[in-house]
Amino acid sequence: MTSREIDPESGRLLNDQEGPYEWRWESQCSDDEQDPIEGIDTHLKAYGRQKGFCFVRRCGSSKKCTSSSLSHDGSEIGVVVKQKRNFMWTCECYGDRERKRKVSCDEGSDLLVLVGSGVRKSKKCECHVHIFASVNEIGKWVIRRSVMGHANHHPTAGKSRTIAAFRKQFIEDNPHVGREFEVCRKAGWRRNQVYNLMSTKRNGKAHMPFSQKDLHDYAAKLRKEKQAEDGRLLDVLWVDAHSRAAYEEFGDVVCFDTTYLTNQYRIPFANFIGVNHHGQSILLGCALVSRETADTFEWIFGHWLECMGGKAPTGILTDQDAAMRKALRSTMSQSCHRWCLWHITQKFCEKLGKNEEYLDLKEDLEHAIYGSLDADEFEMNWATVMERYTLSKIESVWLEVVFQKCYTDAKFNEV
């Protein structure tokens, strides 16, 4: 693995050890409205496609800025917006595999299951390839760091056909493939028959740039879009009088959950949950969601607020879905948005499962999170756990994010 630094002024590599390719970002469009992140993303994916791997967006940070805009009467007003300051792209094989831990329920049981057995099928193999870009002093995006040495896998140009992002992109760029699939389906052909016909035209399945499942998913997407254009019912929200009355008394903090269940039509069931004075869960609204996008969640949150008389909750808990965060910023900007701790703790096995003292570490972390009454006690308990156990660099970095989130929740509990 080699790390290659980039000269911010010229965009050239300072220690080029892997060939003539130069990581330099120059916008291919003169339009000022073009998103630099989208441009870099397109550039990196095009390079990865040539080499046989795919770059994916990993993480980034934003900064709140004030920009001026014109109001209805022509006067200038200040609007607070978030601007991206840095971003990191990684190889799709970046990171550790998710692990499923199996532990025997009874200590005296004859059935012994090894702790840590069962590894999910995943492409992740601890590859370290990544690109880091940030905004310089004059507001231009510059690629600061490039690590291009693959580890534990060997990409080649021919492997691009096996990457899901490129397979789906091929069908998006060639809509006639989806139309041919629909025509054959209407004629009574089965899916595998249609796919076999297409593969015959391309000299075998080995030369197919997409799979049978990709073709089916694309056709299903087209049908959903057609249903929306035809005016068919896609999303449903309902709130009864009992829920509205309960919200008046116990609507301070609300939990929005879309992981409850899905039906045979693969439509997620979402619900708004509150807690009454007996500590019991109360239903404050339900919804059937066609697509888990920002526009759909914005529609649900906006109409739910209308049903509740326009009164937004003081706090709302959701999972770590980016579409939900975007929708909440536009509909409930005054509410305190927090991630559900249950969803965070469920990732302990995935992120910390390789640690030799995982079971004891998990128990102590849960005690620090759930057993602390205020932020000071939580900070002291967390520091004790960090001193007690030896953690890898990846585990330490992830726990820093968890600490920040749980610390803000501890402060939230004080209020």
Side-chain angles (χ1 to χ4, degrees), residues 342-360:
W342 183 85
H343 288 92
I344 295 178
T345 55
Q346 289 301 303
K347 292 187 177 181
F348 280 174
C349 182
E350 172 190 348
K351 303 295 184 180
L352 308 175
K354 292 185 177 181
N355 193 290
E356 296 179 354
E357 302 176 285
Y358 168 73
L359 294 179
D360 294 334

Side-chain angles (χ1 to χ4, degrees), residues 81-128:
V81 296
K82 282 189 176 181
Q83 294 182 351
K84 289 290 185 182
R85 303 301 299 172
N86 56 66
F87 226 91
M88 186 170 77
W89 289 262
T90 68
C91 174
E92 61 177 350
C93 300
Y94 184 92
D96 300 331
R97 294 183 180 182
E98 298 180 359
R99 302 180 65 86
K100 293 189 291 186
R101 288 189 168 271
K102 300 178 182 179
V103 183
S104 178
C105 298
D106 301 326
E107 294 183 359
S109 174
D110 295 332
L111 179 61
L112 297 178
V113 182
L114 296 177
V115 175
S117 63
V119 179
R120 298 178 185 270
K121 291 184 178 180
S122 173
K123 281 189 173 183
K124 295 181 178 180
C125 59
E126 301 183 12
C127 180
H128 304 287

Side-chain angles (χ1 to χ4, degrees), residues 157-394:
K159 294 182 179 179
S160 295
R161 292 197 304 269
T162 64
I163 298 176
F166 298 147
R167 298 198 313 262
K168 295 178 180 179
Q169 187 63 41
F170 178 87
I171 300 179
E172 292 283 349
D173 297 338
N174 297 272
H176 67 276
V177 176
R179 289 195 296 267
E180 182 181 357
F181 178 79
E182 286 294 321
V183 170
C184 294
R185 288 286 290 163
K186 289 179 181 179
W189 290 40
R190 295 193 299 271
R191 298 174 193 167
N192 62 325
Q193 292 176 327
V194 179
Y195 187 75
N196 290 337
L197 174 63
M198 293 181 175
S199 63
T200 302
K201 295 179 180 179
R202 291 173 172 81
N203 298 324
K205 294 183 180 180
H207 298 88
M208 288 290 285
F210 53 86
S211 65
Q212 181 177 332
K213 184 179 182 301
D214 297 327
L215 194 61
H216 175 67
D217 292 344
Y218 178 71
K221 178 183 176 182
L222 291 181
R223 285 196 297 270
K224 280 188 177 183
E225 293 176 353
K226 187 175 183 300
Q227 289 175 357
E229 294 174 357
D230 294 342
R232 299 185 185 181
L233 186 64
L234 295 179
D235 304 305
V236 181
L237 171 72
W238 67 93
V239 179
D240 58 14
H242 179 74
S243 297
R244 288 194 292 268
Y247 182 75
E248 289 292 332
E249 300 295 333
F250 311 108
D252 295 335
V253 178
V254 175
C255 178
F256 180 72
D257 183 21
T258 59
T259 62
Y260 180 65
L261 56 83
T262 57
N263 57 21
Q264 59 179 335
Y265 301 103
R266 299 182 181 179
I267 298 179
F269 176 80
N271 51 54
F272 293 87
I273 301 296
V275 179
N276 62 14
H277 56 295
H278 294 296
Q280 301 170 334
S281 299
I282 53 177
L283 188 63
L284 302 177
C286 304
L288 287 175
V289 184
S290 61
R291 286 177 291 182
E292 296 183 76
T293 62
D295 293 337
T296 302
F297 288 131
E298 187 173 344
W299 181 88
I300 292 174
F301 293 148
H303 284 77
W304 181 76
L305 284 178
E306 291 182 9
C307 295
M308 297 305 183
K311 175 187 174 183
T314 304
I316 183 168
L317 304 175
T318 69
D319 59 20
Q320 301 169 344
D321 191 281
M324 289 186 192
R325 296 200 300 269
K326 182 178 179 181
L328 287 172
R329 284 197 296 266
S330 59
T331 57
M332 304 184 195
S333 58
Q334 303 301 321
S335 300
C336 184
H337 180 210
R338 290 289 181 264
W339 290 343
C340 179
L341 278 178
W342 183 85
H343 288 92
I344 295 178
T345 55
Q346 289 301 303
K347 292 187 177 181
F348 280 174
C349 182
E350 172 190 348
K351 303 295 184 180
L352 308 175
K354 292 185 177 181
N355 193 290
E356 296 179 354
E357 302 176 285
Y358 168 73
L359 294 179
D360 294 334
L361 173 61
K362 179 183 177 183
E363 182 179 355
D364 290 344
L365 286 174
E366 290 180 345
H367 174 72
I369 294 173
Y370 296 110
S372 303
L373 299 179
D374 53 39
D376 293 335
E377 183 180 356
F378 166 77
E379 191 172 359
M380 181 183 64
N381 292 337
W382 189 274
T384 302
V385 175
M386 294 299 102
E387 293 176 358
R388 183 178 302 172
Y389 298 94
T390 303
L391 303 174
S392 66
K393 183 178 179 180
I394 297 178

Side-chain angles (χ1 to χ4, degrees), residues 40-52:
I40 300 176
D41 189 71
T42 303
H43 180 77
L44 293 178
K45 284 187 176 180
Y47 171 76
R49 189 167 194 167
Q50 296 175 359
K51 300 297 182 179

